[in-house]
Structure formats: structure tokens, C-alpha cells
């Protein structure tokens, strides 16, 4: 059986129109991993008895223990539809907000997403987030409404009430698609029951239905309800009559694009190189004979093979032993193993053509988001996570002898999960890890101890702030150490609409060149004059650098150094060396030494840093703190306790919505006050309340706390 399966995979992987790259995305606990298990069992990858219980794609011990998915997992399977075979490459992604970075990276590799919602709970905050992540990467959604058995058995809805419930969920999803999809797909990508881009069923009981399948099989919704309401376990026959893998994979084959179709409209959005160049044409056309372009979306450390770089091959064909160039690390490496996924196992092959999700071994020093290619090329746009890491812990080895091992392990951790930020300070010996939340850091800590076998101790969690400015500064000078070069800067707050566009990914974060006309057009659309838009030199972490100089002869040679200095200050501001945000830095003028030897990095970098920092000090700098917008679900009787809890945490109530006994509260809460939040909420609601993060942003830290917090941070960092 296995032999036949791998032969089919080999045959299909070189027919791009028969490939579908898809991801499963949903809110936590809506049943994604159980659902993926059933697709695997239908494709003959795991036994039917185990499907739904095995959770074959949660292969880390902590995922099995906690019952949640932490890492996305890749799997390939073959599905037959109307006599044709198709290769389906599927990625099962996490639902918990702390692991959202994994969803974003998975979306880079796929062209279609199955958005899963629970029939009882409907659209939840995290469903909205994963859909936003998919649409941002131009990934086409279809909808699967799961846990329909609960509507029949627990909620006991009439068929009319049930179809009403489905319509509400479908309308909500379509509303989100209209809000978030690119203009040309707002209508095209909406899901509807008639064309079969919506299916419903129960992953737990292995059945599903869609309109085309009902027409084909003659099954009706009444048959489903009768099966659950009749004596005995008649519902168990449903998985033979309407097997979930058949219904869902038929929907995938029909509604999701092949790599050939998808790359036509996805590449111009996620790659900013010349589309008319050799590489550009190969990428857009998914050309197996073009240059290799492979985007790494995940690094997995394999006990036997070492680092496996998993990702999507957008063009060319990768062969065993090929030499590829890492465009960000700026070095060449040799491919030691080329593999496809068969379930959770990797199968090594000689060569693989583009359009597939693959694993490569031998790319030493690679990280997620890297572009590996045969010729040097413009790398793909950085994979941008919706939320930034805002909680930090300091971590140290329990014995001094383990220090070198700790540094190694932390470097591995940063590779395996790029949404973890690792800072190794060799001067002070302090090592910091920053993540999305308490659970995220707890899981990483656990893995360091259990999987990497290293005992560590960590500090209590601390919060990462941002620095910004509130008014326009005067003009400030930065002088190079040899006094031969001078740079003049003005700093001011960045306009809200430009900042929002950067956050939404409409303006890519990059160093701008003359050819980036799409970015300049977008700036004009946002109200920047045509002339000024051309002066934008770099967009970096929510800040911009503008080159306002005129007629400076050697500016072209030093502008790269100016951008370096600008990035250094944006990473560590002047108040407390926290990252900067929402700043507009203008280079007004500069005086440069004639001789290139006197204006190298050692001279220019300090001048730029001093000039920008002085200007920031004059522009009324202040700290912003991370806040999370939370949705709290509880019983109506706990309304008083919840509002008291929110006030005690310096929070703000946004809305309270009561439906019968149920209460849905939305509130803004500072991350600094959220440590121990889960247990506080449990005790305030007698264990019956739950909460989800809807969004995250940075708000002004209250005046009264500014000085105190700045002092604390400076003290912690050992700054005078």
C-alpha cells in the first residue's frame, strides 16, 4: 500500500494543475487536528479506528498533554475525484493566539485555506484573525462548519433554526471576506452553499455534507437528524454514506486554485522584484525549468537529519546535491536531502519540481522567511506576524558549565519559532526570550527542559514597551568621530493613516528603490504629495526614513549607512532602549568628506545615531504600552465581578452584550496587568468564564507611570 501511495505522490508532484496546497485554520478547540486526522485516514495514511483520537499531527509530547496544537504540521495525501488523482499538501495550524505566528508562516506556503468554525460557537475572535492572515497572503478560503452533531444532540435545534444558524455563520464569514480581501476578490471569494464552497459535518463522527454531495448521493439533512434521533448508534453509518474526507477534498479540488493559477496573483503581492526578469517570469508561471526559488516557512530540528527547512518551492526544480544561495544570509549552501511529506514522515527523493510543499536538509544557518535560490535574487517579502512579541523573560542555565549549551539551544529555539525573539547579551551575560504571551513562553521553557534536556531558571515575565514622539523636533546635528561628516535630522510623529497602512501590510517594510513605484503610488493614495512620496527611503518596524537632501554628491554612497543607523535607533530608542514606533525621521542635510576612506561605517554610524537620538529627545518622547483587546465570555450573574476585575487591572470596558444567561464583554487591558489573568478570571466567575484576545495594539502609558516605568527599565538594563 505504502509503495503505491508514494508512487502516486511522485507522479502527481510534477503536474502542477493536479496539486492543491491548503491550510486548515480556526479558533482554538474548534476541531482542526481531529478534522485533519480524518482527511489522513480517508487517504489511507492512518487507521480509521484511530482517526480523531490519534491526533497524528500533534507529534510533540506537550501538544498531546495540553490537548492543543502548538506547531503547524505538514502532510501530503492523494485524493481521487471523478477518475483523476490529485496531490493535496495540507498544513494543520494552531488556533491559540499565542501561536499565531505559525499560522502566518503556514499561509505563505499554501494557496487555499479551509476555515473551520464550530456550529455552536460560530465565528470567534481567533477565526477572524486566521481569516485575516489568510487573505493578507492572498489565500482563497472555503468554509467547513464543524460539530453539527452538537446542534442536534445538545442544543436540540429544529431544522429551521439550524439552517438559520448556518446562514448566520456563512454571512459573518462573507462579511469578513468583504472587509479584509483585496478589492478584486471581495465578491469572487465569498463562500456559498449552492456552489459547494461551504460544507458542514462532524469531524468527531467522520461525516460531512455539501450541496453538490447531497445532489450526487441523494442524502438530505433530514437523514442526518434522523440518524442522531433514532435508537442505537445509527449515526455511525453516516461516515460510510458521507465520508468527511471525500466531501471536503472534493470541495478543495473544485474551489482551491492549483499553484499555476495561484502564483499568477500571489507572486506580485508577496515578491517585490522585477516581474519581467527571468526569475519574475518563472515565479509567476510556476516554471519547473526556471531558476529555483524556495521560501522557508518553518525549521524543524530532526534528531537524525539535523535542521529540516520546510517551505514552498515557487519556481525551478530542486535536486539532491544542488548548491543554493541564501539571499538574506548572503551565503551558498548545498542541499543534502530533498523530501516530500507522507503523513508525518518525510520521504527522501532525488528531485522535486515547483508548486510543492517540501523539506530540505543542508541549508545551514537558514531561518523562517529566508529565500533560497540558484541565482541571487530579490528575497520574498518578510513574513509579517499580526501580533508582536510583548512578554519577555530572562533565562539562565542552572549551572555555569551549561552556559555555552544554553546559547546554542536558544539559537535553535529562535529558528524553530521565529515569533520568539531571542536576545543574547554577551557583555552582561543576560539572555532574554520574548513571546506572544505567558503560555507561549511557558511552552518554550518546557521544551528547553524536556526536549533539549537543559535545566534552566527564568525570571518573572516583563513587558516590552515602545517609544514614540509627540511633536516635531528642531533640527539636530550628528557629527562623525573624525569631525569631517555632519548630518542634520528632524523627527516628528508619523501620520495615523500611513502607520495603519504599514501595520495592515499595504505598505511593505523595506528599503525603497526608484523602481518600487507601487509603494510610491500607495503613499500618494494616502495623501502624500507625488514629489514627497519619492523621498521615502525606508519603511522599518512602523517607522519611516525620508531623504530630504538635495544636490549632495556622495549621498548615494552613504544612504545605506544612514539606513543602518536609522534601524539601530529604531531598535533601541533613547528613553529606555525600547523599540521605536510611529516615528518619521527626516534627513534634512549633510556635509560629507570628499575622500571615501573618511566616511566609512565607523564614522557615519555614530553620527547618524547621535543626530537622530538628539532630535528624538527634543520631540517630547514617551512610552507606549502594549494593550490587548479581550473578549470575555461568562454568565450574566458575574457582570459586577467582571467589571470590577477589569477596573482593578487598569482596563477599560468597551461593550457588554447580554443574550439570555450569556454575557459577552469586550475590554481593553494593559499586558503589564495580565499576568495571572486566567486564574483571576476563574475566581471572579466561579470557574465559568473564558477569554480570548481579539486584537493587540500600543497605547499611551498614563503620564503618572511614565517616569516610574522608564526608571525601572533603565535599572533592569543596567543603563545609567
Amino acid at each position: 500500500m505504502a509503495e503505491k501511495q508514494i508512487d502516486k505522490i511522485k507522479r502527481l508532484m510534477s503536474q502542477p494543475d493536479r496539486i492543491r496546497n491548503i491550510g486548515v485554520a480556526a479558533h482554538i478547540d474548534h476541531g482542526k487536528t481531529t478534522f485533519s486526522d480524518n482527511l489522513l485516514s480517508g487517504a489511507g495514511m492512518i487507521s480509521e479506528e484511530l482517526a480523531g483520537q490519534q491526533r497524528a499531527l500533534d507529534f510533540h509530547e506537550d501538544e498531546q498533554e495540553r490537548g492543543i496544537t502548538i506547531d503547524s504540521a505538514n502532510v501530503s495525501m492523494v485524493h481521487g475525484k471523478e477518475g483523476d488523482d490529485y496531490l493535496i499538501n495540507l498544513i494543520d495550524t494552531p488556533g491559540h493566539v499565542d501561536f499565531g505566528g505559525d499560522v502566518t508562516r503556514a499561509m505563505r506556503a499554501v494557496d487555499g485555506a479551509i476555515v473551520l468554525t464550530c456550529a455552536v460557537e460560530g465565528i470567534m475572535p481567533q477565526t477572524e484573525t486566521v481569516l485575516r492572515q489568510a487573505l493578507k497572503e492572498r489565500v482563497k478560503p472555503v468554509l467547513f462548519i464543524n460539530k453539527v452533531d452538537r446542534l442536534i444532540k445538545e442544543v436540540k435545534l429544529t431544522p429551521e433554526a439550524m439552517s438559520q444558524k448556518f446562514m448566520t455563520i456563512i454571512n459573518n464569514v462573507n462579511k469578513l471576506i468583504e472587509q479584509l480581501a483585496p478589492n478584486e476578490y471581495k465578491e469572487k471569494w465569498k463562500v456559498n452553499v449552492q456552489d459547494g464552497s461551504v460544507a458542514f459535518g462532524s469531524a468527531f463522527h467522520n461525516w460531512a455534507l455539501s450541496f453538490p454531495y447531497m445532489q450526487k448521493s441523494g442524502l438530505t439533512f433530514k437523514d442526518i437528524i434522523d440518524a442522531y434521533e433514532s435508537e442505537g448508534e445509527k449515526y455511525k453509518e453516516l461516515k460510510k454514506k458521507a465520508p468527511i474526507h471525500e466531501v471536503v477534498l472534493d470541495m478543495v479540488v473544485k474551489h482551491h486554485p492549483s499553484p499555476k493559477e495561484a502564483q499568477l496573483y500571489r507572486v506580485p503581492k508577496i515578491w517585490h522584484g522585477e516581474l519581467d526578469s527571468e526569475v519574475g517570469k518563472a515565479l509567476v508561471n510556476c516554471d519547473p525549468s526556471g531558476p529555483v526559488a524556495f521560501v522557508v516557512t518553518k525549521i524543524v530540528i530532526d534528531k537524525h537529519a539535523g535542521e529540516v527547512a520546510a517551505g514552498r518551492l515557487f519556481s525551478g526544480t530542486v535536486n539532491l546535491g544542488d548548491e543554493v544561495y541564501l539571499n538574506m544570509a548572503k551565503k551558498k549552501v548545498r542541499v543534502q536531502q530533498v523530501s516530500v511529506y507522507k503523513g508525518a514522515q518525510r520521504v527522501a527523493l532525488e528531485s522535486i519540481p515547483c508548486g510543492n510543499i517540501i523539506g530540505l536538509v543542508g541549508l545551514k544557518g537558514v531561518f523562517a522567511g529566508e529565500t533560497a535560490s540558484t541565482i541571487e535574487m530579490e528575497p520574498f517579502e518578510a513574513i509579517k506576524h499580526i501580533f508582536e512579541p510583548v512578554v519577555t523573560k530572562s533565562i539562565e542555565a542552572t549551572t555555569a558549565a551549561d552556559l555555552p549549551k544554553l546559547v546554542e539551544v536558544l539559537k535553535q529555539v529562535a529558528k524553530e519559532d521565529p515569533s520568539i525573539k531571542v536576545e543574547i547579551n554577551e557583555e552582561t551575560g543576560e539572555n532574554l526570550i520574548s513571546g506572544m504571551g505567558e503560555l507561549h513562553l511557558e511552552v518554550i521553557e518546557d521544551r528547553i527542559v524536556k526536549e533539549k534536556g537543559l535545566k534552566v531558571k527564568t525570571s518573572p515575565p516583563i513587558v516590552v514597551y515602545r517609544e514614540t514622539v509627540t511633536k516635531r523636533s528642531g533640527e539636530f546635528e550628528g557629527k562623525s568621530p573624525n569631525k569631517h561628516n555632519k548630518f542634520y535630522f528632524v523627527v516628528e510623529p508619523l501620520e495615523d493613516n500611513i502607520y495603519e497602512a504599514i501595520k495592515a501590510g499595504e505598505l511593505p517594510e523595506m528599503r525603497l528603490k526608484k523602481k518600487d513605484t507601487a509603494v510610491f503610488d500607495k503613499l500618494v493614495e494616502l495623501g502624500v504629495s507625488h514629489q514627497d512620496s519619492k523621498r521615502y527611503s525606508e519603511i522599518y518596524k512602523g517607522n519611516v526614513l525620508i531623504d530630504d537632501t538635495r544636490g549632495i554628491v556622495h549621498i548615494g554612497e552613504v544612504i545605506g549607512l544612514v539606513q543602518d543607523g536609522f534601524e539601530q535607533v529604531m531598535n533601541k530608542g533613547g528613553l529606555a532602549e525600547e523599540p521605536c514606533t510611529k516615528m518619521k525621521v527626516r534627513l534634512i542635510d549633510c556635509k560629507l568628506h570628499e575622500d571615501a576612506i573618511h566616511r566609512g561605517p565607523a564614522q557615519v554610524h555614530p553620527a547618524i545615531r547621535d543626530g537622530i537620538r538628539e532630535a528624538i529627545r527634543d520631540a517630547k518622547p514617551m512610552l507606549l504600552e502594549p494593550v490587548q483587546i479581550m473578549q470575555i465570555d461568562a454568565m450574566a450573574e458575574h457582570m459586577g465581578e467582571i467589571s470590577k476585575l477589569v477596573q482593578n487591572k487598569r482596563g477599560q470596558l468597551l461593550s457588554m452584550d447580554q443574550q439570555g444567561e450569556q454575557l459577552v464583554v469586550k475590554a481593553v487591558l494593559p499586558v503589564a496587568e495580565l499576568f495571572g489573568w486566567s486564574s483571576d478570571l476563574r475566581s471572579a466567575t466561579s470557574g465559568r468564564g473564558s477569554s480570548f484576545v481579539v486584537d493587540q495594539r500600543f497605547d499611551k502609558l498614563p503620564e503618572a507611570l511614565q517616569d516610574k516605568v522608564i526608571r525601572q527599565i533603565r535599572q533592569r538594563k543596567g543603563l545609567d
Side-chain angles (χ1 to χ4, degrees):
M1 172 68 211
E3 175 53 26
K4 266 175 39 195
Q5 190 80 19
I6 191 64
D7 282 346
K8 280 184 186 171
I9 291 178
K10 279 185 189 166
R11 175 169 54 84
L12 292 167
M13 67 185 197
S14 52
Q15 303 176 29
D17 48 341
R18 292 283 181 84
I19 299 173
R20 298 289 183 275
N21 295 313
I22 60 167
V24 183
H27 187 79
I28 188 166
D29 284 342
H30 279 191
K32 294 178 294 300
T33 303
T34 307
F35 170 81
S36 304
D37 264 12
N38 289 319
L39 300 188
L40 271 177
S41 102
M45 297 276 183
I46 57 176
S47 76
E48 258 183 55
E49 289 66 51
L50 288 176
Q53 278 119 52
Q54 180 175 347
R55 308 223 317 279
L57 299 182
D58 283 355
F59 27 85
H60 274 281
E61 209 176 296
D62 50 5
E63 297 183 295
Q64 299 277 358
E65 277 170 22
R66 293 173 191 264
I68 59 173
T69 300
I70 292 170
D71 291 323
S72 54
N74 305 352
V75 16
S76 301
M77 52 198 150
V78 176
H79 172 65
K81 180 178 191 271
E82 292 160 9
D84 287 331
D85 279 342
Y86 291 87
L87 174 60
I88 314 271
N89 297 318
L90 169 112
I91 301 184
D92 172 36
T93 67
H96 193 289
V97 66
D98 278 10
F99 310 107
D102 244 42
V103 184
T104 314
R105 292 190 292 280
M107 290 307 159
R108 174 60 55 94
V110 299
D111 305 315
I114 301 174
V115 176
L116 205 85
T117 69
C118 167
V120 182
E121 294 186 331
I123 293 284
M124 295 294 277
Q126 207 43 30
T127 320
E128 194 173 320
T129 307
V130 292
L131 190 57
R132 183 184 310 165
Q133 287 166 310
L135 293 168
K136 207 163 147 183
E137 289 277 340
R138 291 208 177 165
V139 168
K140 184 183 179 188
V142 297
L143 177 65
F144 181 75
I145 300 174
N146 193 18
K147 305 194 184 185
V148 173
D149 53 310
R150 286 185 57 196
L151 283 187
I152 304 167
K153 289 188 341 204
E154 292 172 28
V155 193
K156 295 193 168 29
L157 290 186
T158 61
E160 291 72 35
M162 214 178 310
S163 69
Q164 194 48 51
K165 180 100 183 157
F166 292 153
M167 283 321 294
T168 309
I169 293 176
I170 293 166
N171 290 340
N172 284 343
V173 169
N174 281 336
K175 226 183 261 166
L176 285 174
I177 292 174
E178 193 167 313
Q179 265 172 5
L180 305 168
N183 290 341
E184 60 271 43
Y185 303 108
K186 285 188 189 306
E187 289 304 319
K188 236 184 29 221
W189 281 2
K190 283 189 178 167
V191 295
N192 84 50
V193 177
Q194 258 54 44
D195 71 2
S197 54
V198 176
F200 24 72
S202 161
F204 192 59
H205 292 149
N206 291 19
W207 63 269
L209 269 189
S210 65
F211 192 64
Y213 195 83
M214 287 170 161
Q215 287 175 313
K216 188 168 91 176
S217 62
L219 266 178
T220 65
F221 217 79
K222 192 176 178 314
D223 299 335
I224 301 280
I225 295 173
D226 292 348
Y228 276 102
E229 288 178 347
S230 65
E231 293 297 307
E233 294 189 329
K234 202 175 164 196
Y235 65 84
K236 287 194 167 165
E237 294 168 18
L238 291 173
K239 69 175 176 192
K240 299 269 187 292
K241 292 181 182 165
I244 186 167
H245 72 275
E246 198 174 314
V247 175
V248 170
L249 295 179
D250 278 1
M251 167 166 82
V252 162
V253 166
K254 183 178 171 198
H255 289 281
H256 281 156
S258 71
K260 252 189 149 35
E261 294 166 63
Q263 285 181 207
L264 285 170
Y265 58 82
R266 282 194 70 209
V267 168
K269 166 81 175 77
I270 56 180
W271 184 69
H272 302 298
E274 292 287 343
L275 292 172
D276 287 342
S277 64
E278 183 193 4
V279 181
K281 285 178 182 155
L283 284 172
V284 172
N285 300 319
C286 186
D287 180 2
S289 52
V292 166
F294 170 72
V295 176
V296 181
T297 55
K298 187 165 184 61
I299 305 283
V300 182
I301 310 282
D302 183 311
K303 281 194 194 77
H304 312 294
E307 285 180 17
V308 183
R312 166 78 172 261
L313 185 58
F314 280 93
S315 82
T317 300
V318 175
N319 305 297
L320 191 63
D322 276 359
E323 191 174 63
V324 293
Y325 180 73
L326 303 180
N327 286 279
M328 287 165 165
K330 305 251 183 288
K331 63 175 186 180
K332 290 186 170 175
V333 288
R334 196 167 291 285
V335 178
Q336 292 164 5
Q337 199 185 53
V338 185
S339 49
V340 286
Y341 289 88
K342 177 183 160 281
Q345 295 93 28
R346 284 181 306 112
V347 181
L349 299 172
E350 286 297 308
S351 77
I352 301 178
C354 56
N356 288 287
I357 291 175
I358 62 174
L360 297 182
V361 175
L363 309 189
K364 248 192 129 32
V366 74
F367 55 89
E370 173 67 277
T371 305
S373 56
T374 31
I375 55 177
E376 199 173 325
M377 64 181 274
E378 170 82 26
F380 273 73
E381 179 181 290
I383 298 175
K384 195 160 183 266
H385 301 129
I386 283 193
F387 296 150
E388 299 172 58
V390 289
V391 176
T392 299
K393 278 182 172 183
S394 119
I395 180 166
E396 49 190 90
T398 45
T399 58
D402 281 340
L403 195 62
K405 188 175 176 189
L406 175 69
V407 173
E408 266 319 292
V409 165
L410 288 179
K411 284 180 180 163
Q412 270 188 1
V413 164
K415 274 188 180 165
E416 289 181 55
D417 183 351
S419 41
I420 280 274
K421 211 169 104 209
V422 171
E423 215 175 298
I424 298 169
N425 187 334
E426 289 177 4
E427 289 167 26
T428 60
E430 188 184 38
N431 302 308
L432 300 176
I433 50 172
S434 311
M436 303 289 172
E438 273 184 289
L439 176 65
H440 195 188
L441 291 180
E442 199 181 300
V443 164
I444 294 296
E445 217 174 307
D446 250 17
R447 287 194 176 175
I448 289 175
V449 176
K450 287 185 183 156
E451 292 180 17
K452 317 275 188 211
L454 180 68
K455 284 205 168 83
V456 291
K457 52 177 193 267
T458 54
S459 69
I462 43 186
V463 174
V464 183
Y465 293 84
R466 290 284 181 276
E467 300 185 14
T468 192
V469 294
T470 48
K471 71 177 192 66
R472 186 183 166 107
S473 73
E475 195 175 300
F476 284 84
E477 175 188 82
K479 245 188 237 159
S480 61
N482 63 11
K483 310 284 190 285
H484 291 318
N485 305 281
K486 293 175 182 176
F487 297 87
Y488 298 89
F489 291 99
V490 168
V491 173
E492 58 188 295
L494 183 61
E495 294 88 344
D496 289 345
N497 61 341
I498 293 181
Y499 177 69
E500 290 307 326
I502 297 171
K503 257 186 76 176
E506 293 163 20
L507 284 172
E509 304 208 343
M510 59 194 278
R511 294 185 175 189
L512 300 170
K513 301 184 183 74
K514 284 206 171 74
K515 65 174 174 51
D516 296 314
T517 48
V519 180
F520 301 134
D521 293 346
K522 182 73 199 170
L523 285 165
V524 171
E525 200 183 302
L526 291 167
V528 178
S529 77
H530 190 71
Q531 210 173 354
D532 284 352
S533 71
K534 295 273 194 296
R535 300 182 184 284
Y536 277 67
S537 170
E538 181 173 15
I539 301 174
Y540 183 74
K541 295 190 176 174
N543 305 288
V544 301
L545 173 66
I546 295 175
D547 176 8
D548 269 342
T549 58
R550 286 156 201 241
I552 307 285
V553 184
H554 302 296
I555 191 74
E557 294 170 38
V558 297
I559 195 70
L561 299 175
V562 175
Q563 290 166 332
D564 294 342
F566 162 71
E567 288 173 17
Q568 288 165 6
V569 178
M570 294 304 109
N571 287 333
K572 283 186 171 182
L575 277 180
E577 294 198 353
E578 295 287 272
C580 298
T581 190
K582 219 175 162 185
M583 286 191 193
K584 189 198 268 186
V585 177
R586 291 180 182 275
L587 174 61
I588 302 291
D589 194 6
C590 58
K591 298 189 170 71
L592 300 172
H593 195 282
E594 280 300 305
D595 197 344
I597 202 157
H598 291 302
R599 44 165 206 267
Q603 298 299 333
V604 174
H605 284 165
I608 302 297
R609 290 197 297 262
D610 294 348
I612 298 178
R613 287 214 170 105
E614 284 298 319
I616 290 175
R617 275 188 204 111
D618 187 51
K620 264 195 114 174
M622 61 183 274
L623 282 188
L624 301 177
E625 65 172 341
V627 297
Q628 289 184 337
I629 296 158
M630 287 279 205
Q631 175 175 322
I632 304 160
D633 296 350
M635 305 303 286
E637 68 209 55
H638 299 300
M639 191 188 285
E641 281 86 352
I642 289 176
S643 63
K644 199 151 75 195
L645 178 64
V646 169
Q647 275 163 353
N648 288 346
K649 300 255 180 208
R650 282 203 296 122
Q652 217 180 336
L653 286 172
L654 295 178
S655 66
M656 272 198 176
D657 203 10
Q658 192 175 342
Q659 291 170 348
E661 296 287 287
Q662 283 295 322
L663 179 70
V664 177
V665 177
K666 281 205 174 143
V668 182
L669 292 149
V671 174
E673 307 288 334
L674 282 179
F675 301 124
W677 163 258
S678 311
S679 49
D680 294 345
L681 180 64
R682 275 199 295 273
S683 52
T685 57
S686 325
R688 293 164 77 187
S690 60
S691 67
F692 311 100
V693 178
V694 180
D695 203 358
Q696 179 181 302
R697 60 171 197 239
F698 285 89
D699 277 359
K700 185 178 170 183
L701 179 69
E703 269 321 311
L705 293 174
Q706 288 273 351
D707 286 349
K708 182 182 158 197
V709 173
I710 292 171
R711 258 204 306 277
Q712 281 172 348
I713 302 173
R714 291 188 72 88
Q715 206 172 348
R716 195 185 77 232
K717 292 185 176 176
L719 304 168
D720 46 334

